[in-house]
Amino acid sequence: MLRRDVEAGSDTVAAPPRKTRQRSAGSVAGHWLRHAEAAAPACIRRPMKGLDRRPRRWGCAANAVLLAFIITVPSLVVFFGARTSAPAVWINAANALRRGSAPAHDRLLGGLLADGVDERSCHSRYQSAMYRRRAGRQPSRYLVSKLRRHEALQRLCGPGTAAYSHAQEQLRSGETLAAGTGSPECKYLVSISYRGLGNRILAAASAFLYAVLTDRVLLVDPSNEMGELFCEPFPGTTWVLPPDFPLTSYTNFSIETAQSYANMVKNKVISAVDVDAASTARELPAFAYIHLDHDATGEDKQFYCDEDQRVLRDIQWLVMRTDSYIVPGLFLVMAFQEELDMLFPEPDTVFHHLGRYLFHPSNHVWGLVARYHDAYLAAAHQRVGIQVRVFGSAPNSPELLEQITTCTQKEGLLPELLTAGVPATTTPPPAPPRRRSKAVLVTSLKAWYYDKLKGMYWERATVTGEAVGVHQPSHEEYQHFGARSHDTKAWAEIYLLSLTDALVTSGFSTFGYVAQGLGGLTPWVMFKPDNGSVVPNPPCGRDVSMEPCFHAPPFYDCRIKQGADTGKIVPQVRHCIDVSWGLKLVPPS
């Protein structure tokens, strides 16, 4: 993130304490403990008749400590409230204490995050755990150790190091490497950032996993505000590609680029045949472009074959373009399978772990998330997220609205409404102070669906007596590619969706994929209708995992060298419920 964002402090979540006439938490606690201790002797001097003094003495002391605790906790809330804009977090903690189960906020996410990063530079890195009601899945010890080693690699070879300067000079000069001389000490993967925010996040996560598997430094193209939306994930270094990168036109690379891996194989510049037995006189290019976009050809998708990976491993610089979540394709590479099994014993948690490790909202975005959460979501008993994807310039659709209401009510996520003029046949709702509440977070480019849902639950009572509040942070009406304010709101809304307790998403939407993965939520997916004038039956279905769907997979079995259904090759990879040809990772059977 930029230094000016740290120094400005205009959108910070944690404010410095005021020095005027404020007691410290310690002095407040000490003050009440002294009063409690003073009261204890009086209690001891008046034991109840027939009872031994020692039990009475301990009971009195316990009462004194309890009194001090009851009085001190609000003081602590006030004290720490000056340092955080998350009062609802403390309220939830107090409620949990009353229920006898204090929430455990693991700020390092089971070791996924390295400790020691200055929180002022990225408030969300360690604060976000307090906003989640579910702890999330635990990473494997092997993944944790691998991440620490990769962070060391990023620091050793990343921008600003002698190794990076040397590799950059080799790339600038076009210097080639003789095959058979071994892999360079420092290798690099540049991930091109383009298309919508959800696509960019999934592409960066995919590139990072490939970098980890192949011991490459990941450098993310700074286009589309990637450096403004996210904090630096790697302690002590940057993941943002410096502006003096020698390949000045890399963002324009396409399927036609001569240096694409597929084109170089086609033109016999390099060969994937008998790589290990190749002559050392054969030279490898200074870099290769990996085209894994939605329009990738069968030759481009040879990337998922072992023979081709053996060629790519010795090329020092790779530039990758994708708008998809290619991780299921990496599970098809036989050479990666053992490592992937150790990293992710639960294969349906890959993006859950990678997303929480990599994507921390910048301080400005985190301010939007925290303020909205505290104002509209924190106090509700249950938070339900509804992500409405409107494709193209489709008009407001009553059929889609019916699909939303039918899905949420059928699955018990939202209560049904009483028919106007018909008295309730159910048990009368409890008194207002005890009435359960639901906060519904709607994210959509359109305001129409939010307006309709809000009106429904305002104008008519629910059969359960629950109070339902409907909220929508923004409505941009159409997607603004590359607009900073648009992407800032989108990232905040994705993160807010990930904080809900139950999630309904639109099929085929990367926006929803990111939210479900970050939150560890297996969503209910609304199926995209073949005919927009007909509500699908069923309107939605529970997904098979929280993993994103890979929309442009290969249809080729590298082992038998012929076309195949890649959803049937390895047990961890199956077809998606929202994109029949897509692939996704599923829980172990």
Side-chain angles (χ1 to χ4, degrees), residues 524-589:
W524 283 265
V525 180
M526 292 189 292
F527 302 117
K528 186 179 179 182
D530 296 328
N531 184 341
S533 62
V534 177
V535 178
N537 186 20
C540 62
R542 194 73 185 268
D543 209 338
V544 294
S545 80
M546 60 183 168
E547 276 287 296
C549 180
F550 179 15
H551 290 171
F555 302 97
Y556 182 80
D557 189 334
C558 301
R559 297 169 301 175
I560 60 176
K561 299 188 183 305
Q562 66 181 36
D565 182 353
T566 47
K568 297 180 179 179
I569 294 178
V570 295
Q572 305 96 320
V573 178
R574 291 290 179 265
H575 289 293
C576 313
I577 68 169
D578 58 328
V579 182
S580 59
W581 63 88
L583 299 179
K584 76 181 307 171
L585 298 172
V586 297
S589 55

Side-chain angles (χ1 to χ4, degrees), residues 215-276:
D215 294 318
R216 292 180 178 272
V217 170
L218 174 66
L219 296 172
V220 176
D221 165 33
S223 301
N224 297 302
E225 312 295 341
M226 292 295 286
E228 304 287 339
L229 297 173
F230 308 101
C231 300
E232 295 281 1
F234 307 127
T237 186
T238 182
W239 72 334
V240 178
L241 183 69
D244 59 347
F245 185 56
L247 303 178
T248 55
S249 62
Y250 73 97
T251 56
N252 295 322
F253 286 175
S254 69
I255 198 170
E256 304 296 334
T257 299
Q259 292 86 359
S260 79
Y261 176 71
N263 287 334
M264 287 194 290
V265 170
K266 186 188 305 181
N267 297 327
K268 303 189 186 309
V269 176
I270 54 178
S271 173
V273 179
D274 297 328
V275 173
D276 293 330

Side-chain angles (χ1 to χ4, degrees), residues 9-26:
S10 58
D11 287 289
T12 56
V13 175
R18 296 182 60 185
K19 296 183 179 179
T20 57
R21 307 185 67 177
Q22 282 193 353
R23 278 182 171 176
S24 70

Side-chain angles (χ1 to χ4, degrees), residues 333-457:
V333 181
M334 299 297 119
F336 295 157
Q337 286 186 1
E338 182 178 356
E339 181 80 353
L340 287 169
D341 288 342
M342 291 190 294
L343 289 170
F344 306 103
E346 299 175 299
D348 59 322
T349 64
V350 175
F351 183 76
H352 180 57
H353 294 319
L354 297 184
R356 293 184 303 156
Y357 174 78
L358 288 173
F359 305 113
H360 308 289
S362 65
N363 284 353
H364 173 59
V365 178
W366 183 243
L368 299 178
V369 172
R371 289 189 293 273
Y372 200 91
H373 170 274
D374 294 346
Y376 300 106
L377 306 178
H381 291 90
Q382 186 184 32
R383 303 175 293 205
V384 178
I386 302 177
Q387 181 252 331
V388 183
R389 169 69 188 273
V390 179
F391 292 90
S393 58
N396 300 329
S397 170
E399 290 78 19
L400 179 52
L401 177 63
E402 182 181 347
Q403 183 179 6
I404 295 168
T405 56
T406 304
C407 169
T408 52
Q409 293 176 2
K410 178 181 178 182
E411 299 297 338
L413 303 175
L414 292 183
E416 296 183 10
L417 297 168
L418 289 173
T419 304
V422 177
T425 57
T426 59
T427 303
R434 299 180 56 193
R435 181 173 297 175
R436 289 187 58 82
S437 62
K438 289 194 177 189
V440 181
L441 176 69
V442 177
T443 65
S444 176
L445 292 173
K446 305 286 187 180
W448 187 81
Y449 300 95
Y450 153 75
D451 288 334
K452 292 296 183 182
L453 286 170
K454 182 179 181 180
M456 288 166 54
Y457 282 98

Side-chain angles (χ1 to χ4, degrees), residues 162-198:
Y164 180 80
S165 298
H166 178 66
Q168 193 177 36
E169 285 303 316
Q170 285 185 310
L171 181 59
R172 183 176 288 111
S173 66
E175 183 178 338
T176 58
L177 179 70
T181 59
S183 181
E185 178 184 4
C186 293
K187 300 178 294 182
Y188 301 87
L189 175 63
V190 176
S191 175
I192 298 175
S193 303
Y194 89 117
R195 295 199 72 186
L197 180 61

Side-chain angles (χ1 to χ4, degrees), residues 33-242:
L33 279 171
R34 285 193 295 274
H35 281 276
E37 289 169 353
C43 181
I44 295 171
R45 286 194 297 270
R46 294 188 296 274
M48 294 180 66
K49 185 177 180 180
L51 295 180
D52 181 69
R53 289 174 180 265
R54 181 166 297 176
R56 178 61 180 169
R57 180 178 181 178
W58 280 106
C60 185
N63 288 339
V65 172
L66 178 61
L67 174 64
F69 175 78
I70 292 172
I71 298 174
T72 302
V73 166
S75 303
L76 289 172
V77 173
V78 172
F79 175 72
F80 286 105
R83 289 160 170 77
T84 177
S85 68
V89 173
W90 294 99
I91 294 172
N92 290 340
N95 291 337
L97 283 171
R98 286 199 300 270
R99 293 191 299 268
S101 59
H105 296 124
D106 179 7
R107 67 198 296 266
L108 300 182
L109 308 181
L112 198 67
L113 304 181
D115 203 0
V117 175
D118 185 358
E119 190 172 330
R120 291 173 298 179
S121 67
C122 184
H123 298 145
S124 66
R125 183 180 179 91
Y126 299 132
Q127 291 181 10
S128 59
M130 294 190 299
Y131 285 75
R132 297 196 182 280
R133 291 179 178 173
R134 58 180 70 220
R137 307 274 276 276
Q138 289 293 301
S140 69
R141 291 184 179 180
Y142 186 72
L143 174 60
V144 170
S145 65
K146 187 77 171 182
L147 290 174
R148 299 294 88 82
R149 292 198 299 272
H150 190 84
E151 290 164 359
L153 176 67
Q154 294 275 153
R155 290 191 291 270
L156 176 68
C157 300
T161 64
Y164 180 80
S165 298
H166 178 66
Q168 193 177 36
E169 285 303 316
Q170 285 185 310
L171 181 59
R172 183 176 288 111
S173 66
E175 183 178 338
T176 58
L177 179 70
T181 59
S183 181
E185 178 184 4
C186 293
K187 300 178 294 182
Y188 301 87
L189 175 63
V190 176
S191 175
I192 298 175
S193 303
Y194 89 117
R195 295 199 72 186
L197 180 61
N199 298 84
R200 302 203 300 273
I201 290 175
L202 296 180
S206 301
F208 175 65
L209 179 56
Y210 182 66
V212 168
L213 292 171
T214 56
D215 294 318
R216 292 180 178 272
V217 170
L218 174 66
L219 296 172
V220 176
D221 165 33
S223 301
N224 297 302
E225 312 295 341
M226 292 295 286
E228 304 287 339
L229 297 173
F230 308 101
C231 300
E232 295 281 1
F234 307 127
T237 186
T238 182
W239 72 334
V240 178
L241 183 69

